[in-house]
Amino acid sequence: MTFGFASSSAASLSTSASAVSASRLLEPAEWAAAGIPLLRNPREVVSGLHARHHPKPSTAIVAVLDPDERLCASASFTRRPAPADGWMFRNALLAQLRRVIPHDLRRRTPVRTAVLLYCREGDARWTEEDGAWMWGLRDACTLHGLRCGAYITLTHDGWQVLGEGRGGRRPNADSVPEPFALSETPPLAPRTGGPVSEVLRRAAAR
């Protein structure tokens, strides 16, 4: 009769792999202490990404914002069915960033900010999967010369900016995207002064 006991070396390897995987995630307290910049208008960002990408559960959207919180680039992809691992998430996010926007590694200080919206099942409470995405986003930003921005979950209950306590009921994982125009950043007002401004002023006065 034989028994299926794992050898001590195999058990130690398994334990060490689990420990490494567990270290590739960020707890909510670590994320809150990391100085992640707050979004001025998180609902506008969420609505804009929702309108552009129409996410369903297991969809990740990484977006790059300029200093005025205007969208520079974004990409979405579906998470593969595998255990949550920050290193794998980092590689996936970095591949998408490299595909849609040049890096800013030559800058001394990051100017643009990357945010991540992840559509998933469950409620808005933090999970280890969220912690792995946070770790992956922070590392991908470092390797691409970006500031690490907000991590947002989108569930059937609504959206939530983790670590900030801000959220809303719409959009959510089931809602129909708003008309695209409503999610666009309004055009900048024309500069005042100069001959062009004077011509516009006279035309408006007629």
Side-chain angles (χ1 to χ4, degrees):
M1 185 180 293
T2 58
F3 296 91
F5 291 111
S7 67
S8 59
S9 61
S12 64
L13 284 174
S14 174
T15 303
S16 111
S18 298
V20 169
S21 180
S23 69
R24 295 190 190 124
L25 61 83
L26 293 176
E27 299 278 350
E30 295 176 293
W31 184 256
I36 306 299
L38 300 179
L39 290 169
R40 290 195 297 270
N41 193 336
R43 188 187 185 282
E44 183 176 291
V45 172
V46 173
S47 296
L49 295 177
H50 185 260
R52 285 174 174 84
H53 296 278
H54 303 190
K56 297 298 179 187
S58 297
T59 302
I61 305 171
V62 61
V64 180
L65 308 178
D66 72 8
D68 295 320
E69 221 166 85
R70 288 190 294 258
L71 184 67
C72 301
S74 64
S76 63
F77 59 98
T78 302
R79 188 205 153 179
R80 295 178 179 176
D85 184 280
W87 185 77
M88 297 291 290
F89 290 169
R90 185 277 307 272
N91 290 346
L93 291 169
L94 193 57
Q96 296 297 325
L97 288 170
R98 286 171 174 166
R99 186 172 65 84
V100 298
I101 199 162
H103 67 73
D104 277 348
L105 293 171
R106 292 186 180 87
R107 292 183 178 274
R108 290 188 177 180
T109 305
V111 174
R112 297 181 293 189
T113 303
V115 300
L116 176 62
L117 185 149
Y118 182 55
C119 183
R120 62 166 172 78
E121 301 287 355
D123 56 31
R125 287 176 294 184
W126 180 89
T127 66
E128 287 193 358
E129 181 184 26
D130 295 323
W133 278 117
M134 291 170 167
W135 190 96
L137 176 63
R138 186 186 65 177
D139 218 40
C141 288
T142 299
L143 295 173
H144 207 63
L146 302 169
R147 283 202 310 172
C148 180
Y151 172 69
I152 307 159
T153 58
L154 187 72
T155 66
H156 299 290
D157 295 330
W159 58 272
Q160 180 82 18
V161 185
L162 266 68
E164 294 185 21
R166 292 192 290 174
R169 298 179 67 179
R170 293 184 67 85
N172 55 58
D174 303 312
S175 62
V176 176
E178 294 179 356
F180 195 77
L182 296 180
S183 303
E184 286 284 4
T185 304
L188 295 175
R191 294 180 180 177
T192 56
V196 175
S197 178
E198 181 63 19
V199 170
L200 291 174
R201 187 187 65 78
R202 289 178 181 174
R206 287 176 187 168

